[in-house]
Short mmCIF file of all heavy atoms in Angstrom, two decimals:
data_model
loop_
_atom_site.label_atom_id
_atom_site.label_comp_id
_atom_site.label_asym_id
_atom_site.label_seq_id
_atom_site.Cartn_x
_atom_site.Cartn_y
_atom_site.Cartn_z
N ALA A 1 170.67 136.50 72.59
CA ALA A 1 169.64 136.20 73.60
C ALA A 1 168.76 135.04 73.14
O ALA A 1 168.39 134.16 73.94
CB ALA A 1 168.79 137.44 73.88
N ALA A 2 168.43 134.99 71.86
CA ALA A 2 167.63 133.88 71.33
C ALA A 2 168.41 132.58 71.41
O ALA A 2 167.85 131.53 71.78
CB ALA A 2 167.22 134.17 69.88
N ASN A 3 169.68 132.62 71.08
CA ASN A 3 170.52 131.42 71.17
C ASN A 3 170.64 130.93 72.61
O ASN A 3 170.62 129.73 72.88
CB ASN A 3 171.90 131.68 70.57
CG ASN A 3 171.87 131.77 69.07
OD1 ASN A 3 170.95 131.28 68.42
ND2 ASN A 3 172.85 132.44 68.50
N GLU A 4 170.79 131.87 73.55
CA GLU A 4 170.86 131.50 74.97
C GLU A 4 169.57 130.82 75.41
O GLU A 4 169.59 129.76 76.04
CB GLU A 4 171.11 132.73 75.83
CG GLU A 4 171.10 132.40 77.33
CD GLU A 4 171.26 133.62 78.21
OE1 GLU A 4 171.02 134.75 77.77
OE2 GLU A 4 171.63 133.42 79.39
N ALA A 5 168.44 131.42 75.05
CA ALA A 5 167.15 130.83 75.44
C ALA A 5 166.97 129.45 74.81
O ALA A 5 166.53 128.51 75.48
CB ALA A 5 166.01 131.77 75.03
N LYS A 6 167.33 129.30 73.55
CA LYS A 6 167.20 128.01 72.86
C LYS A 6 168.07 126.95 73.53
O LYS A 6 167.62 125.83 73.79
CB LYS A 6 167.60 128.17 71.40
CG LYS A 6 167.49 126.90 70.59
CD LYS A 6 167.93 127.13 69.15
CE LYS A 6 167.90 125.84 68.37
NZ LYS A 6 168.43 126.02 67.01
N ASP A 7 169.30 127.30 73.83
CA ASP A 7 170.23 126.39 74.49
C ASP A 7 169.71 125.99 75.87
O ASP A 7 169.70 124.81 76.24
CB ASP A 7 171.60 127.06 74.60
CG ASP A 7 172.71 126.10 74.95
OD1 ASP A 7 172.96 125.15 74.17
OD2 ASP A 7 173.36 126.30 76.01
N ASN A 8 169.25 126.97 76.64
CA ASN A 8 168.77 126.69 77.99
C ASN A 8 167.51 125.83 77.97
O ASN A 8 167.37 124.92 78.80
CB ASN A 8 168.53 127.99 78.74
CG ASN A 8 169.82 128.71 79.07
OD1 ASN A 8 170.91 128.16 78.90
ND2 ASN A 8 169.72 129.94 79.49
N VAL A 9 166.60 126.10 77.04
CA VAL A 9 165.39 125.27 76.92
C VAL A 9 165.78 123.83 76.60
O VAL A 9 165.26 122.88 77.20
CB VAL A 9 164.42 125.84 75.86
CG1 VAL A 9 163.35 124.83 75.47
CG2 VAL A 9 163.78 127.12 76.38
N LYS A 10 166.71 123.66 75.69
CA LYS A 10 167.15 122.31 75.30
C LYS A 10 167.67 121.54 76.52
O LYS A 10 167.26 120.40 76.77
CB LYS A 10 168.24 122.40 74.23
CG LYS A 10 168.83 121.06 73.84
CD LYS A 10 169.87 121.20 72.75
CE LYS A 10 171.17 121.72 73.29
NZ LYS A 10 172.28 121.69 72.33
N TYR A 11 168.54 122.16 77.28
CA TYR A 11 169.12 121.47 78.43
C TYR A 11 168.13 121.29 79.57
O TYR A 11 168.14 120.26 80.25
CB TYR A 11 170.39 122.18 78.91
CG TYR A 11 171.54 121.95 77.96
CD1 TYR A 11 172.05 122.98 77.19
CD2 TYR A 11 172.09 120.68 77.81
CE1 TYR A 11 173.09 122.75 76.30
CE2 TYR A 11 173.13 120.45 76.92
CZ TYR A 11 173.63 121.49 76.17
OH TYR A 11 174.64 121.26 75.29
N LEU A 12 167.29 122.28 79.80
CA LEU A 12 166.30 122.14 80.88
C LEU A 12 165.25 121.08 80.55
O LEU A 12 164.76 120.40 81.44
CB LEU A 12 165.67 123.49 81.19
CG LEU A 12 166.61 124.49 81.86
CD1 LEU A 12 165.99 125.87 81.89
CD2 LEU A 12 167.00 124.02 83.26
N TYR A 13 164.92 120.94 79.27
CA TYR A 13 164.01 119.85 78.87
C TYR A 13 164.64 118.49 79.20
O TYR A 13 163.93 117.55 79.56
CB TYR A 13 163.70 119.91 77.38
CG TYR A 13 162.37 120.51 77.04
CD1 TYR A 13 162.28 121.54 76.12
CD2 TYR A 13 161.19 120.06 77.63
CE1 TYR A 13 161.07 122.11 75.79
CE2 TYR A 13 159.97 120.63 77.31
CZ TYR A 13 159.92 121.65 76.39
OH TYR A 13 158.71 122.21 76.08
N SER A 14 165.95 118.39 79.09
CA SER A 14 166.60 117.11 79.38
C SER A 14 166.49 116.73 80.85
O SER A 14 166.64 115.56 81.21
CB SER A 14 168.07 117.15 78.95
OG SER A 14 168.84 117.94 79.83
N LEU A 15 166.20 117.70 81.70
CA LEU A 15 166.04 117.42 83.14
C LEU A 15 164.64 116.94 83.50
O LEU A 15 164.45 116.39 84.58
CB LEU A 15 166.31 118.69 83.96
CG LEU A 15 167.71 119.26 83.96
CD1 LEU A 15 167.75 120.51 84.80
CD2 LEU A 15 168.71 118.24 84.46
N GLU A 16 163.70 117.15 82.62
CA GLU A 16 162.30 116.90 82.93
C GLU A 16 162.04 115.50 83.49
O GLU A 16 161.33 115.34 84.49
CB GLU A 16 161.44 117.14 81.69
CG GLU A 16 160.11 117.71 82.00
CD GLU A 16 159.39 118.18 80.74
OE1 GLU A 16 159.73 117.75 79.61
OE2 GLU A 16 158.46 118.95 80.90
N LYS A 17 162.62 114.50 82.86
CA LYS A 17 162.36 113.13 83.33
C LYS A 17 162.92 112.89 84.73
O LYS A 17 162.47 112.01 85.45
CB LYS A 17 162.91 112.11 82.34
CG LYS A 17 164.42 112.09 82.20
CD LYS A 17 164.85 111.07 81.17
CE LYS A 17 166.34 111.16 80.92
NZ LYS A 17 166.76 110.32 79.82
N TYR A 18 163.90 113.70 85.12
CA TYR A 18 164.50 113.54 86.45
C TYR A 18 163.75 114.34 87.52
O TYR A 18 163.69 113.93 88.66
CB TYR A 18 165.96 113.97 86.44
CG TYR A 18 166.81 113.15 85.51
CD1 TYR A 18 167.29 113.67 84.33
CD2 TYR A 18 167.13 111.82 85.82
CE1 TYR A 18 168.07 112.91 83.47
CE2 TYR A 18 167.90 111.05 84.97
CZ TYR A 18 168.37 111.61 83.79
OH TYR A 18 169.14 110.85 82.95
N TYR A 19 163.19 115.50 87.13
CA TYR A 19 162.51 116.27 88.17
C TYR A 19 161.02 116.00 88.25
O TYR A 19 160.37 116.40 89.21
CB TYR A 19 162.83 117.76 88.09
CG TYR A 19 162.32 118.53 86.90
CD1 TYR A 19 160.96 118.70 86.65
CD2 TYR A 19 163.21 119.16 86.04
CE1 TYR A 19 160.52 119.43 85.58
CE2 TYR A 19 162.77 119.90 84.96
CZ TYR A 19 161.41 120.04 84.74
OH TYR A 19 160.97 120.77 83.67
N ASP A 20 160.45 115.30 87.27
CA ASP A 20 159.03 114.94 87.37
C ASP A 20 158.70 114.19 88.67
O ASP A 20 157.67 114.47 89.29
CB ASP A 20 158.57 114.14 86.16
CG ASP A 20 158.09 115.03 85.02
OD1 ASP A 20 157.92 116.25 85.25
OD2 ASP A 20 157.89 114.51 83.91
N PRO A 21 159.55 113.24 89.11
CA PRO A 21 159.25 112.57 90.38
C PRO A 21 159.19 113.54 91.58
O PRO A 21 158.51 113.24 92.57
CB PRO A 21 160.40 111.58 90.56
CG PRO A 21 160.86 111.30 89.17
CD PRO A 21 160.68 112.60 88.44
N LEU A 22 159.85 114.68 91.49
CA LEU A 22 159.78 115.65 92.58
C LEU A 22 158.37 116.23 92.71
O LEU A 22 157.96 116.65 93.78
CB LEU A 22 160.78 116.79 92.37
CG LEU A 22 162.25 116.42 92.21
CD1 LEU A 22 163.08 117.68 92.02
CD2 LEU A 22 162.75 115.63 93.40
N TYR A 23 157.64 116.24 91.60
CA TYR A 23 156.29 116.76 91.59
C TYR A 23 155.25 115.67 91.84
O TYR A 23 154.18 115.95 92.35
CB TYR A 23 155.98 117.41 90.23
CG TYR A 23 156.70 118.72 89.99
CD1 TYR A 23 157.94 118.75 89.37
CD2 TYR A 23 156.13 119.93 90.38
CE1 TYR A 23 158.60 119.94 89.14
CE2 TYR A 23 156.79 121.12 90.16
CZ TYR A 23 158.01 121.13 89.54
OH TYR A 23 158.67 122.32 89.31
N ASN A 24 155.56 114.45 91.42
CA ASN A 24 154.53 113.41 91.36
C ASN A 24 154.73 112.25 92.32
O ASN A 24 153.95 111.31 92.29
CB ASN A 24 154.47 112.84 89.93
CG ASN A 24 154.22 113.92 88.90
OD1 ASN A 24 153.45 114.83 89.13
ND2 ASN A 24 154.89 113.83 87.77
N SER A 25 155.76 112.26 93.14
CA SER A 25 156.05 111.10 93.98
C SER A 25 156.05 111.45 95.46
O SER A 25 156.13 112.62 95.83
CB SER A 25 157.43 110.52 93.63
OG SER A 25 157.49 110.14 92.28
N ASP A 26 156.02 110.41 96.24
CA ASP A 26 156.17 110.60 97.68
C ASP A 26 157.66 110.79 97.98
O ASP A 26 158.52 110.48 97.14
CB ASP A 26 155.61 109.39 98.43
CG ASP A 26 156.32 108.11 98.04
OD1 ASP A 26 155.89 107.47 97.05
OD2 ASP A 26 157.31 107.77 98.72
N PRO A 27 158.00 111.28 99.16
CA PRO A 27 159.41 111.57 99.48
C PRO A 27 160.36 110.38 99.31
O PRO A 27 161.49 110.54 98.86
CB PRO A 27 159.37 112.04 100.93
CG PRO A 27 158.00 112.63 101.08
CD PRO A 27 157.12 111.78 100.21
N VAL A 28 159.91 109.19 99.62
CA VAL A 28 160.77 108.02 99.50
C VAL A 28 161.06 107.73 98.03
O VAL A 28 162.21 107.46 97.65
CB VAL A 28 160.14 106.78 100.20
CG1 VAL A 28 160.97 105.54 99.95
CG2 VAL A 28 159.99 107.05 101.69
N SER A 29 160.05 107.82 97.18
CA SER A 29 160.23 107.57 95.75
C SER A 29 161.10 108.64 95.09
O SER A 29 161.78 108.37 94.11
CB SER A 29 158.89 107.52 95.04
OG SER A 29 158.09 106.50 95.58
N MET A 30 161.06 109.85 95.63
CA MET A 30 161.88 110.94 95.08
C MET A 30 163.36 110.62 95.16
O MET A 30 164.14 111.02 94.30
CB MET A 30 161.65 112.24 95.88
CG MET A 30 160.43 112.97 95.55
SD MET A 30 160.49 114.49 96.54
CE MET A 30 158.77 114.80 96.70
#
């Protein structure tokens, strides 16, 4: 379970730069 959580955190962190615009941008910029 710890290994699963560690692996998932690692990969989900890699998405951060891609999903930040979903939170911070207008629809066109998204």
Side-chain angles (χ1 to χ4, degrees):
N3 287 338
E4 176 184 20
K6 181 181 176 185
D7 194 61
N8 291 349
V9 165
K10 176 178 77 172
Y11 286 111
L12 290 169
Y13 259 128
S14 73
L15 294 179
E16 215 169 19
K17 66 182 174 187
Y18 299 108
Y19 67 65
D20 272 349
L22 303 181
Y23 289 91
N24 304 321
S25 301
D26 60 272
V28 174
S29 301
M30 281 184 207

